[in-house]
């Protein structure tokens, strides 16, 4: 079993898409082992996305991710990282394949409904940012 972090971003949470998005994960064989709704502070968003601090979009991404509630969750399953990335689709919804979460629910490159870990190693770090081991029930 592999774990990955999934964030349902403010745009999708505000449009009440949490259930529809989670249904996609579950239909693909991923289980939700932990989940919480929270409002990040700007400094928490900056810490989480600090790997992107040199990029032009960093400031607006941190503002956006701290602007309204998100859903943080741990998804578990066989090849969870790659399966989740396939389900999400390309970062830009316009370039994402038909039937992916970002194509179906994303509004723009930044307001693209979801975030997911890009590797098993980063999944460990990202999961630890939001969850303790006591909160994850596989």
């Amino acid at each position: 079993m592999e774990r990955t972090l999934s964030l349902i971003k403010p745009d999708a949470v505000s449009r009440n898409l949490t259930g529809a998005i989670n249904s996609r994960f579950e239909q693909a064989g991923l289980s939700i082992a932990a989940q919480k709704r929270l409002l990040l502070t700007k400094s928490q968003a900056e810490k989480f996305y600090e790997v992107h601090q040199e990029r032009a979009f960093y400031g607006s991404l941190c503002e956006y991710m701290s602007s309204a509630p998100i859903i943080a969750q741990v998804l578990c399953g066989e090849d969870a990282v790659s399966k989740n990335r396939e389900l999400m689709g390309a970062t830009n919804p316009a370039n994402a394949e038909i039937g992916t979460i970002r194509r179906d629910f994303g509004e723009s490159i930044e307001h693209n409904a979801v975030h997911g870990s890009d590797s098993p190693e980063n999944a460990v770090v990202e999961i630890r940012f939001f969850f303790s081991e006591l909160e994850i029930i596989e």
Side-chain angles (χ1 to χ4, degrees), residues 22-97:
N22 283 342
S23 177
R24 304 261 182 119
F25 298 140
E26 291 175 334
Q27 289 173 4
L30 296 172
S31 62
I32 300 168
Q35 183 180 71
K36 62 175 85 170
R37 179 183 176 108
L38 59 135
L39 180 59
L40 293 175
T41 64
K42 187 168 182 215
S43 64
Q44 288 169 326
E46 289 170 344
K47 178 72 175 159
F48 182 74
Y49 286 107
E50 73 184 352
V51 298
H52 299 301
Q53 64 187 356
E54 300 302 320
R55 298 185 135 167
F57 61 81
Y58 175 73
S60 65
L61 175 63
C62 294
E63 283 286 335
Y64 165 62
M65 289 300 290
S66 60
S67 68
I70 64 167
I71 304 294
Q73 50 197 12
V74 178
L75 304 178
C76 294
E78 190 172 323
D79 299 317
V81 172
S82 61
K83 191 175 285 187
N84 182 36
R85 295 196 66 76
E86 183 179 321
L87 291 167
M88 289 190 307
T91 303
N92 184 343
N95 298 334
E97 289 187 34

